[in-house]
Amino acid sequence: MLLRDTRSKTQGVAGSFPTPLWSNLPHHVPLVFVFRSRSKDEKAQAAKAPVTDSTQPRDPQAPKGRPTPKRSQAQTQRRSVANTPTTRKEASKRQRDERRTAMERQRQALASGDERYLPARDKGPVRRFARDYVDSRFCIAEFFLPLAVVILVMTMVRIPSLQNIALLLWLIVIVLIVLDSAVTGFRLKKRLAEKFPNEPKKGAVAYALMRTLQMRRLRLPKPQVKRGERP
């Protein structure tokens, strides 16, 4: 009888499943609350957040968090974005155009003496004064090329006396050019030391002496002073 009663308690009603062990737990937590996604919680919090009225005007005294750019800066940024090349072909074309524009500005500056677009070797007040000093006086070295052509023609003529004269003339021209260049360099160096005591003057004298070897009308940058005019 005891065995029969125990079996009847364990079997229960026919056709029913055995009762699980956790059914008698005092606090049963629904699984839906355990496995609820985080995104739903965030959406609920966002829905509960106060909504601000976008039509409300902003206080003009309130800070914007960043400085207002100037109009010139804004235009420059827009131009840079609009002119940014997208392909390598466009980038190379743009570089060629910029190089051509720079060369044209430099050519005009060499003709007009504009300091902004001159080459680096011609820029600066020291180089400008050296050019003006040379252009304002006569130099024997500027006649070197025409004299050299004349002497070369005289040496090609098969007349011994004329060839001797050509050689003597050549020697005289060389000596005169050396003496004149030495005097010009000494005086120019003295004037530069007086006029520009705190400016770097390295290479200015050699720059001026190389200019004396060119004919006046062929010099670049073009002369800006007349003969005999004090720079």
Side-chain angles (χ1 to χ4, degrees):
M1 293 297 292
L2 180 61
L3 179 61
R4 185 179 300 173
D5 296 338
T6 306
R7 185 177 299 172
S8 62
K9 289 180 180 182
T10 56
Q11 290 180 355
V13 183
S16 62
F17 296 95
T19 304
L21 297 177
W22 58 79
S23 61
N24 296 326
L25 294 176
H27 299 286
H28 177 64
V29 180
L31 297 180
V32 64
F33 293 99
V34 177
F35 297 98
R36 187 170 61 174
S37 62
R38 185 179 180 182
S39 61
K40 292 182 179 180
D41 295 340
E42 293 178 354
K43 290 180 180 179
Q45 293 177 2
K48 293 179 180 179
V51 179
T52 58
D53 188 8
S54 60
T55 60
Q56 184 179 0
R58 187 180 64 86
D59 186 5
Q61 301 296 332
K64 295 191 300 182
R66 57 182 177 83
T68 303
K70 296 181 180 180
R71 180 177 297 179
S72 59
Q73 296 178 355
Q75 291 177 355
T76 304
Q77 293 177 358
R78 287 196 296 269
R79 291 173 184 172
S80 62
V81 172
N83 297 331
T84 301
T86 57
T87 61
R88 182 179 300 179
K89 184 177 181 180
E90 293 179 359
S92 60
K93 181 180 179 181
R94 182 181 178 184
Q95 290 178 358
R96 288 196 301 269
D97 294 340
E98 291 178 353
R99 193 181 305 113
R100 190 180 299 110
T101 302
M103 293 296 294
E104 179 64 22
R105 289 178 177 176
Q106 182 175 325
R107 187 186 64 81
Q108 295 178 358
L110 290 173
S112 61
D114 191 354
E115 290 281 345
R116 295 176 298 174
Y117 305 111
L118 285 177
R121 65 182 180 86
D122 299 319
K123 284 185 177 180
V126 176
R127 298 298 175 95
R128 184 180 183 88
F129 181 83
R131 291 195 304 269
D132 294 342
Y133 183 84
V134 169
D135 297 337
S136 63
R137 61 192 303 271
F138 284 96
C139 298
I140 300 176
E142 66 180 290
F143 303 106
F144 172 76
L145 289 179
L147 289 176
V149 172
V150 172
I151 293 172
L152 181 61
V153 172
M154 293 175 63
T155 55
M156 293 177 62
V157 179
R158 295 187 177 181
I159 301 176
S161 59
L162 190 60
Q163 291 179 350
N164 293 333
I165 294 174
L167 292 176
L168 181 62
L169 183 61
W170 179 256
L171 181 61
I172 294 173
V173 169
I174 295 297
V175 171
L176 290 177
I177 289 176
V178 170
L179 294 176
D180 184 64
S181 298
V183 173
T184 302
F186 178 77
R187 291 180 178 177
L188 177 59
K189 187 176 182 179
K190 185 178 180 181
R191 291 289 305 276
L192 289 174
E194 295 175 355
K195 194 172 183 62
F196 305 99
N198 299 323
E199 294 287 338
K201 297 175 284 294
K202 184 178 179 180
V205 176
Y207 171 77
L209 294 180
M210 290 297 297
R211 188 174 176 84
T212 60
L213 294 174
Q214 303 171 355
M215 299 181 66
R216 180 181 172 86
R217 65 179 62 182
L218 300 179
R219 292 173 182 173
L220 291 176
K222 293 291 185 181
Q224 303 295 319
V225 296
K226 298 179 181 181
R227 299 274 193 183
E229 184 179 353
R230 187 183 181 91

